Amino acid sequence: MLSVFKFHIAAAVLNEVDQGKFKLDQKVLVKKSDLLENTHSPLRDDYPNGNVELTLDQIINYTVAKSDNNGCDILLRMLGGTEKVQVFMNSKDVKDFQIKYNEEWMHKGVEYMYPNYSSTQSMSQLLTDFAKGKILSKSSTEYLTKIMLGTSTGTNKLKEQLPKGTLVAHKTGSSGSENNLTVAENDAGIITLPNGKRYAITVFVKDSTESWETNCKLISDASKVVWDYFNQQQKGFFFHLK
């Protein structure tokens, strides 16, 4: 999954919000030691010295919309580890999904990337259930959807070839390339058609020896084919929230 798992993590955190255990406006102390180097972290770039109090809302935004790896691990520590995310997803009957390692561990080697997995069908079904309000409360569903609509990563993936202004609520993932191998280049999201109907789409590119540009274009091309099909059909395979 790579960073796509940040959707699952954010959902687990928001479930705690729904249960009154966390609050979006609660302050979280971000210590200097939380801001690991050599990892993607706009949070660290903005607060290089740490020792700052941010709201839970801010950390979720950094983690999902900007795919911040340090923010991700802060959320996992608040939850009590990846096991808590697994238990929550199991409770929602999410199949073909496993989360074992946080971002810090995934950066120790590719062997720690593969155990965090999801099938594309599982991811799309989860997004469908999420959009239908089966995963979180209405307020948390709307909140997380808004954050995903503001995702700043992966502009050359699912949304690249879609008409300008198309609503794409998505979460990306990328391993980078080492020894000419890309473990994964991913994007998964909920896309709104001109008629207001929506569909979930997940494209995972695994174990590729192609360039980054080619891997991203595979995702972009697949997204365009699906968009064109649904626009032509205007029927079937849709879910529509009122």
Side-chain angles (χ1 to χ4, degrees), residues 78-91:
M78 290 181 65
L79 281 170
T82 56
E83 299 86 355
K84 297 289 187 177
V85 182
Q86 186 73 59
V87 169
F88 176 60
M89 289 297 142
N90 290 348
S91 75

Side-chain angles (χ1 to χ4, degrees), residues 2-207:
L2 280 306
S3 286
V4 171
F5 81 156
K6 291 169 184 170
F7 171 83
H8 303 76
I9 294 166
V13 170
L14 289 170
N15 178 62
E16 299 291 289
V17 172
D18 288 341
Q19 294 183 18
K21 297 177 181 178
F22 294 158
K23 294 182 179 180
L24 289 174
D25 62 356
Q26 76 180 68
K27 294 297 182 64
V28 179
L29 176 62
V30 178
K31 297 176 290 185
K32 173 71 171 177
S33 58
D34 294 325
L35 302 176
L36 303 184
E37 300 292 337
N38 302 316
T39 191
H40 176 71
S41 182
L43 173 57
R44 182 197 60 236
D45 296 341
D46 289 345
Y47 303 98
N49 296 318
N51 298 317
V52 61
E53 285 191 334
L54 300 179
T55 63
L56 178 58
D57 166 55
Q58 288 176 295
I59 295 174
I60 294 173
N61 267 279
Y62 271 108
T63 300
V64 178
K66 298 182 179 181
S67 206
D68 194 289
N69 293 335
N70 286 322
C72 170
D73 285 358
I74 290 170
L75 293 180
L76 283 173
R77 283 192 288 274
M78 290 181 65
L79 281 170
T82 56
E83 299 86 355
K84 297 289 187 177
V85 182
Q86 186 73 59
V87 169
F88 176 60
M89 289 297 142
N90 290 348
S91 75
K92 297 299 179 179
D93 200 31
V94 177
K95 306 295 185 184
D96 300 319
F97 165 84
Q98 177 176 279
I99 179 171
K100 293 190 69 175
Y101 296 109
N102 65 7
E103 284 286 355
E104 182 179 2
W105 271 98
M106 283 200 292
H107 279 69
K108 294 179 184 294
V110 295
E111 65 268 30
Y112 299 109
M113 296 181 186
Y114 289 100
N116 291 341
Y117 65 77
S118 170
S119 69
T120 52
Q121 182 176 356
S122 172
M123 189 67 210
S124 289
Q125 185 61 57
L126 173 59
L127 288 170
T128 300
D129 290 343
F130 164 74
K132 288 183 175 181
K134 296 180 178 180
I135 305 299
L136 298 170
S137 68
K138 181 179 179 181
S139 60
S140 288
T141 299
E142 292 175 349
Y143 168 80
L144 185 51
T145 299
K146 183 178 180 180
I147 290 177
M148 293 168 69
L149 285 169
T151 290
S152 59
T153 57
T155 56
N156 60 342
K157 296 181 182 181
L158 284 180
K159 65 188 303 181
E160 181 182 45
Q161 297 184 55
L162 304 187
K164 186 176 181 180
T166 298
L167 297 179
V168 180
H170 64 130
K171 184 69 203 80
T172 61
S174 181
S175 66
S177 181
E178 185 173 346
N179 298 322
N180 201 38
L181 175 68
T182 297
V183 172
E185 196 70 57
N186 301 331
D187 205 355
I190 301 164
I191 297 175
T192 302
L193 292 162
N195 64 4
K197 293 182 177 180
R198 297 184 285 173
Y199 62 90
I201 178 172
T202 302
V203 187
F204 290 166
V205 179
K206 179 185 175 186
D207 291 338

